[in-house]
Amino acid sequence: GDEGVTEVVWRGEVVKVSWLENASVEEARFVAQCELFSLTEVAPQFQVLRDVEGYEVRLAAGQQCLVLFDKREEQAGNAPGDAWEGASCDTPLRVFAELARTDARGTHVSAPQNSKFAHKIQSYMDGAAEFEDERVLAKARSCVPQDVLIGKLHTRTSLERAGQSSDDADLALCRRLLVWFKEDFFKWFHAPLCWACEQSEQQAVEHEAMQLVEMVPPRESEAIWNARLVEIYSCKQCDAQVRFPRYNRAEKLLDTRRGRCGEWARCFTLCANAVGLRARMVHDWTDHVWTEVWLRKTQRWVHADSCEAALDTPLLYTEGWGKKLSYCIAVTKHACVDVTPRYVTTWDGDLARRRCELPEDHLRTIFLTLSSWNILASVDRTTTPCRSRQRALWLSEVASETAALSVLKRKLQNTSCEPLHSSAGVDRRERLPGRSSGDAQWIRSRREHGSSGDSD
C-alpha cells in the first residue's frame, strides 16, 4: 500500500512501525515515533536508534535492523528516569498514530461524538479560537496600558544582563498584567445598578436593591456574542428591570469589562495572549475558571487566577478555598488536557468517587482523541512544511503533558504524606487564603471562604 514498514529491535523483540510516505517527512517521522512510543513506552524525545554498527541514525522509511535505546537509561547507566516512570501511554499514542494515518490517506476524520462530556469539552475548545484571532488580539493589545508593556521590555533587558531565566520575565509580565486587570480594568459583577433609581454602586450593594428574578434565553444581539443565558434583575423600589447577558466572547468583554469568574478568566486569557504570553483557560467542574500561562524556559504551565490576582499557586482552591475538585480541564483551540493532578494534594477514594461521569480510561481516550482530531483538522493536506512541523509539535506537547500528568497522578495515588507539589513562593506553614472575589455572603453560600473566614 502507501505505507512502508520500519523494523526496530527493542529489548530482544522486533517491533514494526508504519511509515507514511504521502505525508511530509517531519510529520511521517513524528507519527512513526508516536507508534514506536505506543509499542515500547519510550517517548519520542528519549528514543535513540542505532544501526548494526552502533551509529546513531534517524528514523526513516524502510529501515531494517535498527536497535532502539532509551536515552534516559544510557545517561543514567541503565537506571530508569523518574520523569516518565510508569507513564503507559499506549492508548493515547495509538489514537494519535491512527488518526494521523487516516488523515494522511486523505480519509475524512470526523469529530468524536461519543458523549456529552466530549461535546462539553469541544465547546470549550471552540470558544478558545478567538485567542488566536489576530484582529481580536490587536483589540486586546490596545486596551493594555503602555506601562505594562514597557515594563515587559525593561524586565526582559535587565534579566538578560543578569543572566536569569526568561521564565522570570514571563512571570513578572503576568504578575503586572494580573494587578492591572484586577485593579484597573475588569469589575466583579454582583448585581446591576437600577437605571431608574440612579443609586450608587455602594448603595445598591448595601441595600440589595436589585433582585435576580429569572434567567431567559438571549436576544439575537446578545447571542452573536455567544451569550447562552441572560439574568433578569428587578429593582425592589421601582420594579424596573435590568438585563445581564452572560457573554462568552472575550472580544465583547473588552467592552463590557464586568462579570464573574468565567468572564474574568476569558478576558484575561485573551489579554495575556495579546501581550505575548501563551495562555489557556482551565475549566473546573465545581464552577470556577482560571488561566494557565506557559513558561518557555522550564517548559511548564503555571496557574494564574485573575479574580484573585494569584500566580503560580495551584493549591489555592483545595488548601485555601476548601474546594472539593473533580475535573480541571485545560483547553486551547487545538488541545484539551485533564490537569486535575496539578491542583490536588492527593488522589484518594473521595476524589475518585467525585470523578464519576466516565471511567478514567474512557476519559483519557476522549481527551487525546479530541486533541488529535482538532490538531489534524486545523490544516489541510496542502499545508506548508512549517505548518506540518507545528502540527507535529502540538501533538508532541499534548502527548508529553498527558504522560507527565499521568505520572503525577500515580504518585498522588500512592502517597499519604506531604503533597508532592506546592504553591510556588508560599510557605507551607502559612495558610492559603479563602476566596476574595465576590461579596462575603455569596462566597459563604459557595463554601469557598476557607479557613480565613472561620472567625467572621
Side-chain angles (χ1 to χ4, degrees), residues 87-108:
S88 175
C89 289
D90 68 318
T91 300
L93 271 299
R94 287 182 197 280
V95 169
F96 281 161
E98 185 55 39
L99 282 175
R101 278 195 296 276
T102 303
D103 187 44
R105 295 189 190 107
T107 307
H108 176 65

Side-chain angles (χ1 to χ4, degrees), residues 46-340:
F46 299 129
Q47 294 172 7
V48 178
L49 291 163
R50 301 187 188 279
D51 61 19
V52 291
E53 296 181 358
Y55 292 103
E56 187 171 337
V57 296
R58 297 192 74 185
L59 190 62
Q63 291 169 315
Q64 307 295 323
C65 299
L66 296 183
V67 181
L68 174 65
F69 294 87
D70 187 329
K71 184 184 292 185
R72 298 163 300 171
E73 296 181 4
E74 285 195 333
Q75 292 174 344
N78 293 325
D82 259 1
W84 290 77
E85 185 179 355
S88 175
C89 289
D90 68 318
T91 300
L93 271 299
R94 287 182 197 280
V95 169
F96 281 161
E98 185 55 39
L99 282 175
R101 278 195 296 276
T102 303
D103 187 44
R105 295 189 190 107
T107 307
H108 176 65
V109 182
S110 59
Q113 301 290 338
N114 53 350
S115 73
K116 291 181 180 179
F117 196 96
H119 279 290
K120 186 175 182 178
I121 296 171
Q122 182 62 57
S123 71
Y124 291 151
M125 296 174 74
D126 293 340
E130 65 177 331
F131 300 145
E132 299 182 20
D133 185 321
E134 286 301 328
R135 181 187 60 80
V136 180
L137 289 169
K139 180 178 178 179
R141 205 152 36 239
S142 70
C143 295
V144 180
Q146 286 297 308
D147 287 350
V148 174
L149 300 176
I150 292 171
K152 166 189 174 182
L153 298 175
H154 173 74
T155 303
R156 288 191 188 282
T157 304
S158 61
L159 288 172
E160 285 170 3
R161 283 199 298 266
Q164 294 184 37
S165 165
S166 61
D167 285 357
D168 296 320
D170 290 339
L171 286 169
L173 171 59
C174 189
R175 187 171 286 110
R176 288 197 304 275
L177 195 68
L178 282 166
V179 171
W180 161 75
F181 192 88
K182 182 176 175 65
E183 295 183 358
D184 301 326
F185 188 71
F186 223 76
K187 288 188 176 181
W188 186 264
F189 179 84
H190 172 67
L193 300 179
C194 177
W195 55 269
C197 293
E198 298 183 349
Q199 288 183 324
S200 69
E201 187 171 348
Q202 183 177 352
Q203 289 174 327
V205 172
E206 288 177 354
H207 298 100
E208 296 183 356
M210 302 297 288
Q211 181 179 8
L212 176 65
V213 293
E214 63 177 331
M215 295 187 183
V216 299
R219 295 169 178 164
E220 185 178 350
S221 60
E222 297 161 337
I224 62 172
W225 297 108
N226 207 17
R228 296 187 178 92
L229 57 85
V230 178
E231 298 175 1
I232 304 296
Y233 290 82
S234 179
C235 178
K236 293 180 180 179
Q237 295 184 17
C238 68
D239 293 330
Q241 290 195 337
V242 180
R243 299 171 67 87
F244 176 59
R246 300 301 304 273
Y247 293 119
N248 281 281
R249 287 282 299 279
E251 181 180 4
K252 180 66 174 178
L253 296 171
L254 291 172
D255 300 324
T256 63
R257 302 184 184 186
R258 63 176 183 165
R260 302 193 192 99
C261 58
E263 290 92 346
W264 278 66
R266 184 169 297 281
C267 193
F268 178 79
T269 303
L270 174 65
C271 291
N273 280 291
V275 300
L277 296 169
R278 183 180 170 196
R280 66 186 183 185
M281 290 181 68
V282 178
H283 297 265
D284 157 33
W285 258 234
T286 61
D287 195 27
H288 190 48
V289 193
W290 60 87
T291 305
E292 285 187 337
V293 175
W294 177 252
L295 299 185
R296 294 163 297 158
K297 183 71 174 180
T298 51
Q299 299 282 289
R300 69 186 182 101
W301 291 97
V302 296
H303 155 261
D305 190 325
S306 55
C307 298
E308 308 291 298
L311 181 61
D312 204 6
T313 53
L315 302 183
L316 174 66
Y317 311 115
T318 54
E319 293 195 337
W321 297 13
K323 286 175 77 69
K324 303 295 184 183
L325 299 175
S326 56
Y327 301 99
C328 301
I329 312 302
V331 298
T332 65
K333 174 184 175 181
H334 303 104
C336 56
V337 181
D338 182 0
V339 296
T340 311

